[in-house]
């Protein structure tokens, strides 16, 4: 089959044909620019592909490394999930503890309030019963002695007593320890009481000052009213005095006319040789009295006008 008398056999022809096709393909790879990479040599192309192969190997190695770390990371993820769950449980526990603390604090505040209320009631009781009690000898911290001290009142500030030499208010700080303890002295309570007393005193002083100002204003108004009334009365008195002066002046004029008539009648009677009583003298006396009255009235009028 490889050969015959007439020439190569069929197999020989096929092999020759394969060889020709292979050389043709080699020729195409060697001389076709598309297969040569457009001016790039085969060596350069092989080097480039070698680099790519090395890059692929590096990537594969990295992938293998990451794949090797995967179990530990899965375990870490599981542990992190467990920690998150534990953290949530702790958060809930902390919230519950905070609630318990708040409830406890509220209870403590309530108990403290109850205790303070109890102490206030106790103070009120013992301080109320103290009124009228007698202490034969009361000695303060500073050494002052009060004999037969009769307690009149116990307040948050101290005690008020009546003793052999008078009265005294003794501050709690000056009292012996046993009395401070018995009457439950509380500095904070005293501070509040002193502040209240000061505020009340200031309010009282302010009220007194306002009342004084109001009284002064009322007195000023009353004085103005009285002055106005006095002025009106003075004006009326002046008018009345002027009327009196006018009346007296008219009386003087009438008397002068009457005197002139009396003189004329006397002159006529003498001329006729008749007897006649001359009234001009008595009329003259009346005129002088009226004139004196007129002078007095005018002096009084001048004084009245000066007071306006």
């Amino acid at each position: 089959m490889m050969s015959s008398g007439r020439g190569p056999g069929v197999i020989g022809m096929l092999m020759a044909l394969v060889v020709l096709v292979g050389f043709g393909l080699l020729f195409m790879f060697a001389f076709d620019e598309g297969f040569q990479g457009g001016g790039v040599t085969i060596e350069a192309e092989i080097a480039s592909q070698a680099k790519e192969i090395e890059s692929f190997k590096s990537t594969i190695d990295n992938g293998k490394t990451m794949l090797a770390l995967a179990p530990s990371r899965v375990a870490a993820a599981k542990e992190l999930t467990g920690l998150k769950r534990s953290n949530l449980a702790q958060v809930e526990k902390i919230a519950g503890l905070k609630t318990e603390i708040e409830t406890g604090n509220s209870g403590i505040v309530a108990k403290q309030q109850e205790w303070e209320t109890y102490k206030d009631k106790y103070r009120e009781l013992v301080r109320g019963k103290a009124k009228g009690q007698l202490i034969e000898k009361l000695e303060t911290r500073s050494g002052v002695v009060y004999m037969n001290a009769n307690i009149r009142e116990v307040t948050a500030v101290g005690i008020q007593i009546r003793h052999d030499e008078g009265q005294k208010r003794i501050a709690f700080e000056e009292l012996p320890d046993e009395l401070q303890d018995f009457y439950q002295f509380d500095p904070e309570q005293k501070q509040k009481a002193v502040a209240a007393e000061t505020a009340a005193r200031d309010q009282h002083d302010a009220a007194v000052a306002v009342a004084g100002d109001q009284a002064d204003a009322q007195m000023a108004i009353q004085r103005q009213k009285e002055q106005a009334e006095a002025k009106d009365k003075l004006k009326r008195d002046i008018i009345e005095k002027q009327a009196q002066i006018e009346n007296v002046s008219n009386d003087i004029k009438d008397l002068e006319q009457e005197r002139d008539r009396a003189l004329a009648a006397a002159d006529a009677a003498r001329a006729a040789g008749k007897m006649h009583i001359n009234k001009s003298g008595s009329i003259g006396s009346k005129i002088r009295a009226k004139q004196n009255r007129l002078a007095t009235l005018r002096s009084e009028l001048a004084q009245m006008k000066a007071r306006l």
Side-chain angles (χ1 to χ4, degrees), residues 209-223:
V210 170
D213 293 340
Q214 292 177 347
D216 292 341
Q218 189 66 31
M219 289 180 63
I221 294 172
Q222 184 63 28
R223 284 195 296 269

Side-chain angles (χ1 to χ4, degrees), residues 284-301:
S285 298
K286 292 180 180 180
I287 291 173
R288 287 191 294 274
K290 292 289 184 180
Q291 288 174 342
N292 292 334
R293 175 61 178 163
L294 181 62
T296 300
L297 291 173
R298 285 175 175 172
S299 176
E300 292 175 352
L301 178 62

Side-chain angles (χ1 to χ4, degrees), residues 102-121 123 186 188:
E102 292 176 356
T103 303
N105 288 335
S106 300
I108 291 172
V109 171
K111 292 298 182 182
Q112 288 178 340
Q113 186 62 40
E114 290 178 4
W115 173 242
E116 292 298 328
T117 301
Y118 170 77
K119 289 196 296 184
D120 289 339
K121 290 182 178 179
R123 290 189 187 101
D186 184 353
E188 183 177 352

Side-chain angles (χ1 to χ4, degrees), residues 74-252:
V74 169
K78 290 181 179 180
E79 184 179 359
L80 180 60
T81 302
L83 290 174
K84 287 183 177 179
R85 291 175 179 173
S86 176
N87 185 46
L88 290 175
Q90 293 296 328
V91 169
E92 293 178 357
K93 184 176 181 180
I94 290 172
L97 290 174
K98 286 183 177 180
T99 302
E100 291 179 3
I101 291 172
E102 292 176 356
T103 303
N105 288 335
S106 300
I108 291 172
V109 171
K111 292 298 182 182
Q112 288 178 340
Q113 186 62 40
E114 290 178 4
W115 173 242
E116 292 298 328
T117 301
Y118 170 77
K119 289 196 296 184
D120 289 339
K121 290 182 178 179
Y122 174 78
R123 290 189 187 101
E124 183 179 358
L125 177 64
V126 296
R127 291 175 183 178
K129 287 183 176 181
K131 185 175 181 180
Q133 291 181 357
L134 179 65
I135 303 176
E136 295 182 358
K137 182 180 179 181
L138 175 59
E139 184 174 357
T140 65
R141 289 176 175 269
S142 59
V144 179
V145 177
Y146 299 95
M147 300 302 297
N148 296 319
N150 189 294
I151 299 177
R152 300 183 61 191
E153 184 182 18
V154 179
T155 66
V157 179
I159 64 173
Q160 183 76 30
I161 65 171
R162 183 186 291 110
H163 56 97
D164 289 346
E165 298 181 3
Q167 299 183 18
K168 179 67 177 180
R169 184 185 188 184
I170 306 174
F172 262 119
E173 292 85 350
E174 284 293 313
L175 292 175
D177 291 339
E178 59 271 16
L179 289 181
Q180 289 189 23
D181 182 66
F182 183 75
Y183 294 121
Q184 285 294 296
F185 170 54
D186 184 353
E188 183 177 352
Q189 188 186 50
K190 176 181 178 178
Q191 184 177 3
K192 292 179 181 179
V194 171
E197 287 183 358
T198 302
R201 183 169 56 253
D202 293 342
Q203 185 177 4
H204 175 266
D205 293 341
V208 170
V210 170
D213 293 340
Q214 292 177 347
D216 292 341
Q218 189 66 31
M219 289 180 63
I221 294 172
Q222 184 63 28
R223 284 195 296 269
Q224 291 177 356
K225 182 179 179 181
E226 291 175 353
Q227 289 174 357
E229 291 176 352
K231 191 173 183 179
D232 291 340
K233 183 176 183 303
L234 183 60
K235 289 179 179 179
R236 293 194 297 270
D237 292 342
I238 288 174
I239 293 172
E240 183 179 355
K241 192 68 67 176
Q242 289 174 339
Q244 292 176 1
I245 290 172
E246 185 176 358
N247 291 333
V248 173
S249 297
N250 292 332
D251 290 343
I252 290 173

Side-chain angles (χ1 to χ4, degrees), residues 53-68:
I53 291 171
E54 291 297 325
S55 176
F56 290 151
K57 288 181 178 180
S58 177
T59 302
I60 291 170
D61 292 338
N62 290 335
K64 289 180 178 179
T65 303
M66 297 295 291
L67 186 60

